[in-house]
Amino acid sequence: MTVAAEPSPSRYVVGLDLGTTNSALAYVDTAAGRQIQTLPTPQVVAPGLQEARESLPSFHYQPASQEFPKGSFRLPWLTTDAEFLVGQLAREQGTLSPARLISSAKSWLCHAGVDRTADLLPWQGAADVTRLSPVAVSARYLAHFHAAWDHRFPDHPLADQDFVLTLPASFDEVARELTVRAAQQAGLKRIVLIEEPQAAFYAWIDKHADRWEQLVSPGQKILVCDIGGGTTDFTLIRVRKGTDGLVQFQRVAVGDHLILGGDNLDLTLAHFIERKLKGDGKLEPRVWSVLVRSCRQLKEILLGPSPPEQYTLSLPASGSKLIGGALQVPVTREEVMQVVLEGFFPLVPLDSRPVAAQSGFQEFGLPYAADPAATKYLAAFLTAHRHAGDDGTETGSHDPARPDLLLFNGGVFESTAIRQRIIDQLHHWFRGSDSNWSVTVLDNERLDLAVARGAAYYGMVRRGEGVRIAAGLARTYYIGAAKDDGSLQALCLCPAGLEAGQEVDLTERTFELRLAEPIELPLFVSSVRLTDQPGDLIPIEREQLTALPPIRTVIKAGKTASAETVRVILKVRLTEIGTLDLWCSDIENRRSWKLLFDVRSTTQTDREAEESVANQQGVLDDSSRAAAVTVISETFRPQGTDPATLMKRLSEALELPRDDWPPTLLRQLWDVLLDLEPARRISATHEARWLNLLGFSLRPGYGLAVDDWRVAETWKRLNGKLAHAAGQCRAEWWILWRRIAGGLTAGQQQALAAPLATGLKTWLRASNKPRAGGPSVHEVAEQCRMIGAFEWLPPSLKEACGELFLEMIEHPKHEALRPAAVWALGRLGNRSPMYGPLNTVLSSEIVQRWIGRLLPLASSDPLELLTLMQLSRKTGDRYRDVDEPTRERVLQLLHKRQAPRHLSDLVREVGTLDTEEQGLVFGEALPPGLRIV
């Protein structure tokens, strides 16, 4: 079918496939017809050598200083060398220097377990490499195409053209929003999104424009199997007969998001080769990184067209089999076929399901699919959507899960053997009694260009030219709604099949919304419940619903700060570019608020806040809470009760020791304290006690719903200022930030720690006697502890601070600081951070050096033994674990000092901290129910 024309002034219609490993741009010059062309994109392929190629490898490389001669990678639109490389040379140099390479940025863009706007990449980057966010890296790829286009067509800037950008069908709403943001950062604000499997099918329609109706028939089901460098996508398209008698296409199902693709194959091959070389041992991180990058080339050679029977990898190494300083590793095609086909594409029964266990691939930070068998996910997808799009057309005696047509897409299917394995699997499932049945494979000759071509075709469809796939929203979206008993149900917010531009008003249901208070709105999505209608209430079943990052916000009405409850209805709109807008509207006052999806995504403990053990601790009765509020209010007022006795009086009022106060009560105390913030100005004693209880009530800064908002409000209210200059206030200031460190942003931690690092260095170089007005030993100790708790600090600052702490430990004149310095050193060099990202963990080489200096000084003090355990703790990650000689030295010391056996166990094997150890690592007892992740 055709669609109504949409007016557009642009001459060109452009489609861009921003792939995980390769990207490409295609376009239609509407002034010259409707032929789809590809844009050869200039890129540096070797130092000083440029070529324009049809695809751009999606790799980002930051050269080291003077790594290349001047002028080696000056692109046609630049007057000087770029500060970074993208494309072919970036990919090749990254194989040699992996710590300077960023790859798989698109996979990171959909990683809900990290802040995707934070500077995380490269994950295992060199110390001098500038980190970038997944959004920023994606923007740089898009900017490269933007510049290449404008260089080729200076009279028709890309920003003024109709621009269609592709993304995986399984991208969640946050990943879609971030894709749009990346395009905007690249100067491309006029964009439309399309899912890659759809684009691939559009490319097939375009290629067979004169006879596609002869190749399909109504009632058939088309399976698009798309496995690229980073993700796996399955899509079902149903062929129908329209009311006008013409053939139509309708996308009826999309699979769940899977980070399973060519990257996983590379990692598996690398593990296989490592076992050939080392048995149960491990290669050192430098060699391992080169091996993983080399396996990409190995896979393409041995699984590509006309492959050799054997290929020899060359790795930097030492030991036997050295030729010119490199380790030669021969690998046969048969070995690769066995690893890839049986590991990723085994023949399995149709009722097979993926194993729900943690993936063994954790070293590169991405949440890879738990089970590597793509055929198991395909079985689950086909059976879950057995009747998707059924229109009453007879299927005969065959299983309705059976697809009739198959379209391959994605670089993995460049391999004939892998394509044939998928075909064999479908035949194994569905031939049954009909041994003559075969799935019909639709040809797709250019897997590297099909998605870009299809995106350009879709741009023409939007103008009314071409055949359209009816493809509304692929999933059903829900919002968590509380019932009268407090339990949570999922309310259908946006049904599957919603078309772009359509709006849903949930006018039949009204909701109560709190204004001027922090709220959390849980969101869920389902790719299997495709018939739920707006307003339907369903139970939350994890097998059918997937949690999205909740919306956390404070909704305000005008300038008033008073809390109130209003009655609202919800509205949802699927925008023309393919993203969701969510609004709530006040029924009485006609006020509306747009609710923004959480594109940062907070810590994993926050995302699961509604299920956390902390929330399950319950709340104290209202009378107990009221008694506590009264005690606090009587303290923080003029001529009030003595602040020094506040904690004792609170424990008496609550009839609980302070370490047993439940987290929900603690957050309520935080609310009261924030309202009483002006009272800290009464005296230095009031301020010290106020700071102390505020941090105690909000520790560890995460774990309950909207804790990120509470920490942000604390930061904003204090505004970096103390009301009193007394030493006790300064000490409590550092204690507060240490206690809530897990909720601070990287920027906030650095703003607090960087000036202190300089001050500590000056303090150490000065006389042992503190200067007048300078920090006391107690204050310095609290400063050290605060810095140690900051896990978001960049590795360079962590290393510098660790050196200062070691100096304190080594010199007798700083004996009073030794406990604080030892504790802080253990936190800075911890192999398993409490809350921070793994990419800020210090290198094992630095920590091994610290252990070497600490071992001769270590006593039997439990804190010092705990610190040694933290520095040498076994993680199973080669990038974090210390070497075996260092581990053995620590174990010998722990045995000699008669350390608790569990400390030795954690050094020897991967394990978890017990409750007492968690309290020591945190610095004090955690609130009941909160456990370090």
Side-chain angles (χ1 to χ4, degrees):
M1 64 176 286
T2 58
V3 294
E6 297 183 7
S8 176
S10 71
R11 171 173 170 173
Y12 294 93
V13 176
V14 182
L16 185 106
D17 170 23
L18 186 63
T20 304
T21 55
N22 282 289
S23 301
L25 186 149
Y27 65 95
V28 177
D29 183 353
T30 59
R34 59 177 313 278
Q35 179 182 0
I36 298 176
Q37 306 174 64
T38 55
L39 177 72
T41 306
Q43 56 192 288
V44 182
V45 297
L49 178 62
Q50 296 180 27
E51 287 184 10
R53 298 184 176 180
E54 287 185 305
S55 64
L56 177 80
S58 303
F59 295 85
H60 179 288
Y61 184 82
Q62 186 180 133
S65 177
Q66 299 180 344
E67 182 175 349
F68 296 103
K70 188 175 181 180
S72 293
F73 41 95
R74 188 171 302 166
L75 292 162
W77 51 85
L78 297 176
T79 57
T80 60
D81 280 346
E83 295 180 357
F84 58 89
L85 288 168
V86 297
Q88 185 64 33
L89 182 58
R91 169 177 167 164
E92 293 178 1
Q93 287 300 122
T95 301
L96 303 175
S97 301
R100 314 194 73 83
L101 177 74
I102 297 175
S103 61
S104 305
K106 191 164 74 170
S107 296
W108 282 97
L109 207 60
C110 58
H111 185 352
V114 299
D115 176 1
R116 290 164 267 188
T117 65
D119 296 332
L120 303 170
L121 306 176
W123 186 251
Q124 302 291 352
D128 63 330
V129 170
T130 301
R131 267 31 178 223
L132 299 171
S133 72
V135 176
V137 178
S138 301
R140 286 189 172 186
Y141 295 147
L142 290 167
H144 185 94
F145 280 105
H146 192 172
W149 175 277
D150 288 357
H151 179 73
R152 173 69 177 81
F153 302 106
D155 295 333
H156 301 278
L158 186 59
D160 295 338
Q161 310 309 307
D162 283 357
F163 184 77
V164 180
L165 183 60
T166 69
L167 75 180
S170 55
F171 257 24
D172 65 23
E173 188 57 31
V174 174
R176 290 169 185 260
E177 294 276 1
L178 293 175
T179 301
V180 173
R181 180 182 295 188
Q184 292 172 341
Q185 288 183 10
L188 300 170
K189 296 180 171 57
R190 181 181 176 178
I191 71 167
V192 172
L193 302 177
I194 184 175
E195 296 163 1
E196 290 161 6
Q198 277 191 75
F201 190 68
Y202 273 129
W204 180 84
I205 294 174
D206 177 65
K207 182 179 178 181
H208 302 89
D210 57 345
R211 62 187 187 97
W212 63 264
E213 289 183 281
Q214 303 167 26
L215 302 177
V216 299
S217 57
Q220 288 184 319
K221 191 186 292 184
I222 302 166
L223 168 65
V224 182
C225 195
D226 184 355
I227 305 181
T231 58
T232 289
D233 271 332
F234 301 123
T235 294
L236 286 175
I237 297 173
R238 177 71 77 170
V239 186
R240 302 186 184 281
K241 179 178 287 187
T243 55
D244 55 4
L246 299 177
V247 172
Q248 299 177 348
F249 299 106
Q250 181 182 14
R251 195 274 317 281
V252 293
V254 168
D256 290 329
H257 176 66
L258 296 172
I259 298 187
L260 178 63
D263 289 348
N264 304 67
L265 271 64
D266 300 339
L267 282 166
T268 301
L269 285 171
H271 278 290
F272 169 75
I273 294 170
E274 182 180 47
R275 285 192 296 272
K276 288 183 66 174
L277 292 170
K278 304 286 288 187
D280 293 334
K282 289 188 175 183
L283 294 168
E284 61 178 272
R286 178 181 63 91
V287 180
W288 167 255
S289 297
V290 173
L291 173 59
V292 172
R293 306 303 173 196
S294 300
C295 281
R296 181 181 294 116
Q297 184 180 21
L298 172 73
K299 174 191 65 184
E300 293 171 355
I301 291 173
L302 292 183
L303 293 180
S306 304
E309 287 303 313
Q310 180 175 293
Y311 181 79
T312 300
L313 288 179
S314 181
L315 302 174
S318 60
S320 60
K321 299 184 181 178
L322 277 175
I323 300 177
L327 179 62
Q328 307 298 306
V329 187
V331 184
T332 67
R333 181 174 184 271
E334 183 179 351
E335 288 175 323
V336 173
M337 293 286 288
Q338 179 71 19
V339 170
V340 171
L341 291 185
E342 300 310 318
F344 288 86
F345 304 98
L347 292 173
V348 298
L350 186 57
D351 60 359
S352 291
R353 293 297 178 266
V355 175
Q358 188 178 39
S359 169
F361 298 145
Q362 302 299 315
E363 293 162 311
F364 288 89
L366 287 167
Y368 293 112
D371 193 321
T375 44
K376 291 183 182 180
Y377 293 101
L378 180 57
F381 171 72
L382 291 175
T383 53
H385 299 286
R386 180 172 264 121
H387 300 286
D390 282 357
D391 55 4
T393 304
E394 288 292 329
T395 62
S397 60
H398 73 256
D399 188 334
R402 188 185 83 182
D404 303 286
L405 306 168
L406 173 63
L407 178 67
F408 290 115
N409 191 61
V412 166
F413 291 116
E414 293 284 2
S415 167
T416 304
I418 295 178
R419 292 199 304 271
Q420 187 59 49
R421 175 53 66 93
I422 295 294
I423 295 169
D424 291 344
Q425 179 69 92
L426 292 174
H427 291 170
H428 175 71
W429 285 336
F430 299 118
R431 268 187 170 161
S433 58
D434 184 5
S435 59
N436 294 321
W437 176 81
S438 294
V439 67
T440 301
V441 180
L442 305 178
D443 62 311
N444 183 4
E445 295 178 358
R446 291 300 302 270
L447 294 170
D448 57 334
L449 301 178
V451 171
R453 290 178 177 274
Y457 181 90
Y458 175 63
M460 296 300 295
V461 168
R462 287 173 52 80
R463 293 190 174 198
E465 301 182 35
V467 180
R468 185 186 181 214
I469 303 170
L473 197 63
R475 297 174 179 78
T476 306
Y477 285 79
Y478 305 83
I479 192 167
K483 298 194 298 183
D484 291 338
D485 62 3
S487 62
L488 200 65
Q489 281 193 311
L491 176 84
C492 180
L493 192 63
C494 196
L498 192 72
E499 296 282 349
Q502 287 185 326
E503 187 174 289
V504 175
D505 286 0
L506 296 176
T507 53
E508 295 183 1
R509 289 190 181 273
T510 58
F511 305 86
E512 289 186 343
L513 178 71
R514 291 291 292 169
L515 302 183
E517 288 185 358
I519 59 171
E520 176 173 276
L521 303 176
L523 296 174
F524 305 91
V525 65
S526 177
S527 60
V528 294
R529 297 188 62 101
L530 303 181
T531 59
D532 291 336
Q533 295 303 305
D536 288 352
L537 272 173
I538 65 169
I540 298 174
E541 299 179 0
R542 296 302 179 185
E543 296 77 14
Q544 296 185 325
L545 303 183
T546 301
L548 290 172
I551 294 175
R552 300 187 184 93
T553 188
V554 176
I555 297 177
K556 296 181 180 179
K559 297 182 179 179
T560 177
S562 60
E564 61 174 310
T565 299
V566 297
R567 291 165 61 83
V568 299
I569 60 171
L570 298 176
K571 297 180 180 180
V572 187
R573 181 175 181 271
L574 183 60
T575 68
E576 295 294 340
I577 66 171
T579 60
L580 283 176
D581 281 346
L582 175 60
W583 299 76
C584 58
S585 298
D586 186 345
I587 296 174
E588 298 178 358
N589 296 319
R590 297 188 178 183
R591 298 172 295 184
S592 292
W593 299 273
K594 184 177 181 180
L595 303 175
L596 301 177
F597 287 89
D598 182 4
V599 297
R600 279 191 64 227
S601 182
T602 51
T603 60
Q604 204 67 26
T605 46
D606 251 355
R607 289 191 61 217
E608 301 298 333
E610 291 303 321
E611 297 181 355
S612 73
V613 179
N615 275 324
Q616 296 171 14
Q617 296 298 306
V619 296
L620 296 181
D621 59 80
D622 287 342
S623 61
S624 296
R625 176 188 175 278
V629 171
T630 299
V631 170
I632 294 173
S633 300
E634 288 176 347
T635 301
F636 293 105
R637 63 181 176 83
Q639 289 80 48
T641 51
D642 184 6
T645 64
L646 175 58
M647 299 301 280
K648 179 181 178 181
R649 287 183 285 114
L650 279 174
S651 292
E652 292 171 349
L654 295 169
E655 299 181 349
L656 282 173
R658 70 176 198 167
D659 288 344
D660 290 342
W661 299 351
T664 47
L665 170 68
L666 290 169
R667 298 311 188 258
Q668 291 171 337
L669 299 185
W670 176 90
D671 290 335
V672 175
L673 287 163
L674 208 67
D675 289 339
L676 294 171
E677 183 268 335
R680 68 184 172 111
R681 294 167 178 80
I682 295 174
S683 72
T685 304
H686 282 82
E687 181 169 38
R689 179 50 60 190
W690 184 86
L691 291 168
N692 181 280
L693 184 54
L694 190 76
F696 185 81
S697 300
L698 192 49
R699 74 194 202 285
Y702 61 91
L704 271 75
V706 300
D707 268 353
D708 52 350
W709 176 84
R710 293 186 180 99
V711 173
E713 285 296 300
T714 301
W715 180 270
K716 182 169 64 176
R717 187 66 64 90
L718 291 174
N719 196 28
K721 297 177 182 178
L722 283 170
H724 303 275
Q728 60 178 329
C729 295
R730 294 198 298 265
E732 293 295 346
W733 178 265
W734 310 125
I735 292 172
L736 163 67
W737 300 122
R738 169 176 60 80
R739 281 174 162 167
I740 67 172
L744 296 173
T745 66
Q748 289 167 343
Q749 290 191 1
Q750 193 159 355
L752 287 166
L756 280 188
T758 302
L760 284 174
K761 188 174 182 179
T762 302
W763 188 90
L764 282 173
R765 302 296 179 266
S767 168
N768 195 35
K769 295 181 179 180
R771 62 181 175 83
S776 66
V777 171
H778 174 54
E779 287 178 60
V780 172
E782 294 304 340
Q783 292 173 357
C784 294
R785 290 190 178 97
M786 185 200 72
I787 292 174
F790 285 179
E791 295 181 352
W792 279 99
L793 295 180
S796 58
L797 184 53
K798 284 186 177 182
E799 181 182 7
C801 291
E803 294 295 326
L804 293 175
F805 299 154
L806 275 168
E807 187 175 338
M808 295 177 189
I809 296 167
E810 290 171 333
H811 288 78
K813 70 176 183 179
H814 300 308
E815 184 65 27
L817 292 173
R818 182 179 176 115
V822 167
W823 183 89
L825 189 73
R827 285 295 302 275
L828 285 181
N830 199 348
R831 303 295 80 201
S832 295
M834 288 177 62
Y835 61 84
L838 295 182
N839 66 310
T840 62
V841 172
L842 282 173
S843 72
S844 57
E845 291 81 6
I846 293 172
V847 172
Q848 285 165 193
R849 189 173 69 243
W850 288 1
I851 292 173
R853 292 170 62 181
L854 193 58
L855 279 173
L857 307 171
S859 68
S860 298
D861 183 281
L863 183 58
E864 297 186 11
L865 300 179
L866 180 76
T867 289
L868 281 168
M869 180 278 291
Q870 292 185 81
L871 296 177
S872 56
R873 184 177 173 185
K874 184 73 173 286
T875 69
D877 180 347
R878 78 187 74 233
Y879 289 95
R880 290 184 282 155
D881 284 342
V882 298
D883 59 28
E884 288 305 315
T886 301
R887 186 183 313 282
E888 188 58 36
R889 291 173 63 198
V890 172
L891 286 170
Q892 291 173 3
L893 187 282
L894 293 177
H895 176 72
K896 182 178 179 181
R897 296 286 187 260
Q898 297 182 335
R901 180 176 176 179
H902 193 233
L903 294 185
S904 297
D905 291 343
L906 291 172
V907 174
R908 189 177 291 108
E909 301 292 340
V910 178
T912 57
L913 300 172
D914 61 31
T915 303
E916 182 180 356
E917 291 162 349
Q918 288 188 55
L920 288 171
V921 171
F922 179 68
E924 61 184 300
L926 286 165
L930 286 178
R931 178 177 175 80
I932 298 169
V933 179

